[in-house]
Amino acid sequence: MTDINVLDNLTKVQKQIKEAELRGGRPPGSVKLLPVTKTVPQQYITQVMEAGIVDFGENRVQELVEKYRHFPKANWHMIGHLQTNKVKKLLGKTVLIHSLDRWSLAEKINSLSLSNNIKTKVLVQVNVSGEKSKYGLNPLELEDFIYHAIDLEGIEIQGLMTMAPFVDKPEEVRPVFRELARWRDKLASRWPGIRILSMGMTNDFTVAIEEGADIVRVGSAIFRRQTL
Ligand SMILES: *Cc1c(COP(=O)(O)O)cnc(C)c1O
């Protein structure tokens, strides 16, 4: 692991983000890079923080809570599937939950938030591709879900998140990102608070940016040994 140059990797990713912003006609600096730190040793997180990054993503509650303890000044984002019985541990430690994917979870986050006098920011996870292995709402359920969830005072829905299928050529998943953006636009015309698109990972983040991503969740490209 010692031969990973995290800062070089970070610089490369930041450059790719800039170029994708240009290609997509996005304002420079408008896309937030969310390094995903699952299984990543603390020393690398320290390096990335020293380079000015504040926001990080974790996909498991236990690991997020541990990292939060070590790096309380960072903004921790919960990006992975969230079990209802783990919400309590997570509450107050995350700036944004990207993975609200069912009504029972919305109710749980809401009730715990209300009893703690906080409002928890969330994104609704959408299974655009319809893959069985993926979590998230069917896009056709989205409007009805939000119609009800918008009344829950303990949560604030700020946007949508998706995971595209893993493919060899990222170009193949462009329609997935385009569809999520289309849903965001549609929902935002009714509920203006719904504005953030969390989409794009190591394999496909440049395409996601061209299609309107506001947050890209990138792990391997920063923290793994690069073959290039
Ligand atoms: C791991 C993970 C990522 C980052 O994946 P990479 O391919 O390593 O960039 C993004 N989103 C979620 C939900 C993840 O679990």
Side-chain angles (χ1 to χ4, degrees), residues 41-81:
Q42 284 169 22
Q43 76 208 66
Y44 294 143
I45 300 174
T46 304
Q47 287 180 20
V48 170
M49 283 184 79
E50 282 169 1
I53 303 275
V54 183
D55 290 77
F56 294 93
E58 273 293 336
N59 72 334
R60 297 178 62 202
V61 171
Q62 185 61 39
E63 221 183 320
L64 189 149
V65 169
E66 280 165 21
K67 298 248 170 66
Y68 173 83
R69 279 205 201 101
H70 276 102
F71 302 101
K73 285 186 183 150
N75 292 332
W76 291 98
H77 294 236
M78 176 59 184
I79 62 174
H81 184 64

Side-chain angles (χ1 to χ4, degrees), residues 16-27:
Q16 287 175 295
I17 290 175
K18 260 196 196 125
E19 290 165 355
E21 282 173 343
L22 271 176
R23 282 196 305 276
R26 315 282 313 280

Side-chain angles (χ1 to χ4, degrees), residues 36 38 59 79-80 161 163 200-203 217-221:
V36 176
K38 58 192 181 205
N59 72 334
I79 62 174
M161 180 273 233
M163 289 177 78
M201 309 178 13
T202 290
N203 196 42
R217 311 177 309 267
V218 179
S220 325

Side-chain angles (χ1 to χ4, degrees), residues 6 13 17 30 51 53 65 70 80 97 101 105 108 118 120 136 148 158-159 165 174 177 213 215 219:
V6 170
V13 169
I17 290 175
S30 59
I53 303 275
V65 169
H70 276 102
I97 296 173
D101 59 1
L105 183 60
K108 187 68 177 189
I118 60 171
T120 300
H148 292 285
Q158 296 199 322
R174 187 181 292 278
F177 299 137
I215 302 177

